[in-house]
Amino acid sequence: MYTLPKIERFNQNVLSKYHIYNSVFITLPFDAIDNTGVMLPLFAEVCDNGFKNNWSPKQIVDFFAAKYLDHASENEKISLMFRFIQYVERQIVLFDAIEDAAFPVVNNMEGRGSLRDIKEKSEAKDKREELIYFLENFSVRTVLTAHPTQFYPGSVLGIITDLTEAIRLNDLIKIKQLLAQLGKTPFIKKEKPSPFDEAVSLIWYLENVFYTTIGEMMQYLQKNIFYDNPIENPIINLGFWPGGDRDGNPFVTTEITEKVANRLRTSILKCYYFDIRTLRRKLTFNEVDTIIANLEFKLYRSVFYSQGELFISLEELINELNIVKQIIINEHQSLYLDEVNMLLLKINQFGFHFAALDIRQNSHIHDQVFADIIYLLKREKSMYFPEDFDTQSEENKMEVISNLTFDLNNHFFENEITRSTLDTIKLMREIQNRNGEMSCNRYIISNNESALNVIETFAMFRLLDWENPTVDIVPLFESVEDLQKAHEIMEQLYQNVAYRNHIKQRKDKQTVMLGFSDGTKDGGYLMANWSIFKAKEMITEVSRKYDIKVIFFDGRGGPPARGGGKTHKFYASLGSTIENQEIQVTVQGQTISSNFGTIDSCRYNLENLLSAGVANQIFNKNENDLSPTDKEIIDTLANLGYEKYSNFKNHPKFLPYLEQMSTLKYYSKTNIGSRPSKRNTDGKLNFSDLRAIPFVSSWSQLKQNVPGFFGVGSALKHFEENEQWEKVQWLYDDSLFFRTLLENSMMSLAKCYFPLTAYMREDKEFGAFWQIIYDEFLETKRLLLKIAGHTELMENYPDGKASIAMREQIVLPLLTIQQYASSQIIEMKKQKTIDEKLLSVYEKLVMRSLFGNTNASRNSA
């Protein structure tokens, strides 16, 4: 049977449908939006032609007003631009829904990277037993994190879900109703969401997507690979950061952490309750019906009338279902056995916690907390504490701190940060007691700069009368400097007797987190990725030396600039020099909806992650190892890229350009997220305080995507100019790691659109700076096309390229409006003729345009 190429399936099932449904949408009559749907295509055409003719956004808007609006006033132009934004936002939702509906048609759900592919390869290569052993010890953990640019309110998310289903069924009447509803539904929240609100919005995906998807995946593995041997290892785990990530969100409190943990438990019990209700309609046999009815009653009370009290334990739920299982096997010909087994598999995966709630705090906060603790210990004479502690070596400090015996539980601290930090540790123990150890058993130290940072955190647990904490303490290395010394820090920890005993109690496993986002912000694209790769190698080596199994947890965002892109290819490309027993990765709000927002896309992407681990360890073992020569070439490239990026970052116009010409300052003014855009709260902008999300997003809004490519072109050019091109060409052709690295950078380039900001070239202050960015873009594009042997970016991913092109086309009017408003603000300030009322309106235009552009990109931050 002939199957259409992927790009043709995309064109038929996505692009064609979008044009049809969009023509319906723009002709719908909405209140107070007369003729907007007719005018928008005209404005889009003017934008497209205007940029081709090197017009500025102001020239485009003025030309459009003169030709179609009969020289409207500025207020009339602004009013129409706001209406255009409302339309574009909804066009993006329509395109998302169509793409989601077409996902299983465009993508081969049973092809390469699927569970079926794993099964068939293992049988063909006679590796089934090896595969089973691997799966008994391997796991994937996707950790959901809140995102300040995931702005859709619940009402819109509901419409998207219904619209996707209606499009899948080609229900034209329903589609028209939902498009009309979409046009009348507000997109903007009136108030900033709280951290708890963000948690609730992500729990929706746990309940409606991950619960079903993971259950079906586990059932497939059980029936097709494990057969009669029950799967004991929860192969696919979920992590959760909203409500526990204090460094990511300073508004997280101990109370919110507790509320989120309780909500997670209630949510998973609710899922079990609905499954039990469905089973009750089927299991109507003697004995079984009574047991199921009793389980339904206890779960119902635990979910809806519990007020925190549980009427059933995890053990009881599992035991009762196992009794049901045996009865229907022995007495009822195994009728509905699959359904019972499916529920047991889900319970094994999710327990009473659903997703493991991670706690994260910055090491600089811990410094303050521990200073308070030391002050108290010195003041209390009930134990010896060296007076000269502050002047001792790091090793001595670690020895002293790791052996402290004192109970802080009954001591009050004036400092609120100290109190809340210690209260959170106490709460972790309470959450474990209620929901099981997996519910909250990781404490992540961001900005970890030393072994002492880890020992201080470890000591805090023990000083709160938790002698052997059932918690993994996870250092997070982010900056290039910290990544380069990470293996030395880990060796110091392994040599500390108290901490080594702690690791022993944690089954000789140590989790280490590595941050792509801040690494790229700090060192540029090549250096960040290569520093993380080398850090993993060296940490693996030192961990194996001490018989410790290291687990790497990658802090990735959506775009390549933050470690995103074709993530599964990265994991498949790792050689034997990097421990790969588990794949753990953060998935941020915006990428959750785009990659895991439907059951089809969730299954596809989870299976690809699992397959990446299998391919690396079973089918392609040792094939991806880099030779010393390979490493030397990448090392040279990374250093050249780092030098180029560092010079750029240190340019005197770097921060002023971001502050004055980008959307950076507007993130903190929007209602789209609960966190600030920088860590410090004073007015001065410091590079080190910039959060990675608004940093990367600001470049994305400018359609310049600097963190995803800057320095790559200059590094490759060095090899071209020195007649060594064949070295990088051979490496690209031979190394999956290097090829994936450059392909993801190509994605960043594909999402650039420099005509949008070409008017900045004439700016007296920033024109030369803009030219630096554009020149590096051109050089990077030229050399990436050369090394790939392509004539166009993303030539080998035609459907992805077509999706990006369509999204950029939809969003072009919105970007033009954003740059028009931004240039008007800049001009006002230059002329020092500020109309405060008009200034406020222009700023609102910029902020409103942030939302649609972000969601159109799907992985912009």
Side-chain angles (χ1 to χ4, degrees), residues 27 54 63 95 122 226 264 310 352 360 370 416 463 510 528 569 644 655 684 700 726 765 783 788 832 842:
T27 56
N54 299 315
F63 175 84
F95 190 79
S122 67
F226 282 80
L264 284 165
L310 279 180
F352 272 15
R360 183 172 77 130
F370 220 79
E416 194 276 331
L463 289 169
Q510 170 67 52
K569 277 197 162 188
K644 180 73 175 178
L655 283 178
K684 187 179 178 184
S700 174
E726 71 282 354
E765 184 178 358
L783 290 167
K832 298 182 179 176
Y842 284 139

Side-chain angles (χ1 to χ4, degrees), residues 661-727:
M661 307 300 278
S662 82
T663 56
L664 181 68
K665 58 182 171 289
Y666 295 102
Y667 281 95
S668 59
K669 297 179 181 180
T670 62
N671 282 342
I672 54 180
S674 64
R675 72 196 77 181
S677 59
K678 56 194 181 82
R679 282 187 169 90
N680 69 342
T681 53
D682 60 41
K684 187 179 178 184
L685 180 65
N686 295 310
F687 183 81
S688 59
D689 291 321
L690 273 179
R691 290 188 176 277
I693 291 172
F695 176 75
V696 172
S697 294
S698 296
W699 292 111
S700 174
Q701 295 285 331
L702 287 168
K703 288 295 161 188
Q704 293 176 356
N705 292 332
V706 160
F709 75 84
F710 201 91
V712 175
S714 292
L716 289 171
K717 188 178 180 182
H718 169 84
F719 282 80
E720 184 185 54
E721 288 180 336
N722 289 278
E723 298 182 359
Q724 295 181 320
W725 182 258
E726 71 282 354
K727 289 184 178 180

Side-chain angles (χ1 to χ4, degrees), residues 329-481:
I329 289 171
N330 296 335
E331 299 178 25
H332 303 291
Q333 293 76 50
S334 298
L335 195 56
Y336 299 122
L337 179 62
D338 278 354
E339 285 86 342
V340 176
N341 280 335
M342 168 78 94
L343 182 52
L344 281 165
L345 284 167
K346 288 175 178 175
I347 294 168
N348 186 48
Q349 288 291 135
F350 305 119
F352 272 15
H353 62 279
F354 214 157
L357 182 61
D358 287 344
I359 306 297
R360 183 172 77 130
Q361 183 55 281
N362 196 296
S363 66
H364 295 159
I365 298 293
H366 286 173
D367 290 342
Q368 299 174 38
V369 172
F370 220 79
D372 275 1
I373 293 172
I374 289 172
Y375 178 77
L376 172 76
L377 295 176
K378 284 182 176 179
R379 194 183 65 206
E380 294 286 326
K381 300 298 182 184
S382 56
M383 64 161 291
Y384 170 74
F385 194 87
E387 288 295 326
D388 64 343
F389 176 80
D390 294 338
T391 61
Q392 290 189 8
S393 67
E394 184 179 0
E395 287 75 14
N396 286 349
K397 285 181 179 179
M398 288 170 59
E399 189 65 26
V400 170
I401 290 171
S402 62
N403 289 298
L404 286 174
T405 52
F406 193 79
D407 189 351
L408 294 176
N409 279 295
N410 298 320
H411 291 271
F412 179 81
F413 289 90
E414 296 287 341
N415 190 322
E416 194 276 331
I417 288 177
T418 302
R419 285 202 311 276
S420 65
T421 301
L422 297 177
D423 284 347
T424 299
I425 290 172
K426 295 176 192 174
L427 178 63
M428 289 180 74
R429 199 172 191 177
E430 292 173 23
I431 293 171
Q432 286 192 17
N433 289 336
R434 290 180 210 155
N435 303 351
E437 185 193 315
M438 276 295 293
S439 61
C440 191
N441 69 345
R442 298 207 305 190
Y443 196 112
I444 298 158
I445 312 160
S446 55
N447 202 27
N448 196 97
E449 298 172 331
S450 69
L452 186 61
N453 290 151
V454 177
I455 294 298
E456 285 176 345
T457 307
F458 174 55
M460 282 191 269
F461 281 85
R462 301 179 76 188
L463 289 169
L464 289 168
D465 195 29
W466 201 352
E467 181 63 26
N468 296 309
T470 48
V471 172
D472 296 321
I473 297 166
V474 183
L476 165 54
F477 301 105
E478 298 172 272
S479 71
V480 171
E481 183 183 351

Side-chain angles (χ1 to χ4, degrees), residues 239-264:
F240 205 76
W241 273 21
D245 179 14
R246 278 158 174 68
D247 183 45
N249 194 327
F251 304 118
V252 171
T253 63
T254 309
E255 291 72 27
I256 284 174
T257 302
E258 185 169 22
K259 275 180 72 177
V260 171
N262 289 340
R263 182 61 173 259
L264 284 165

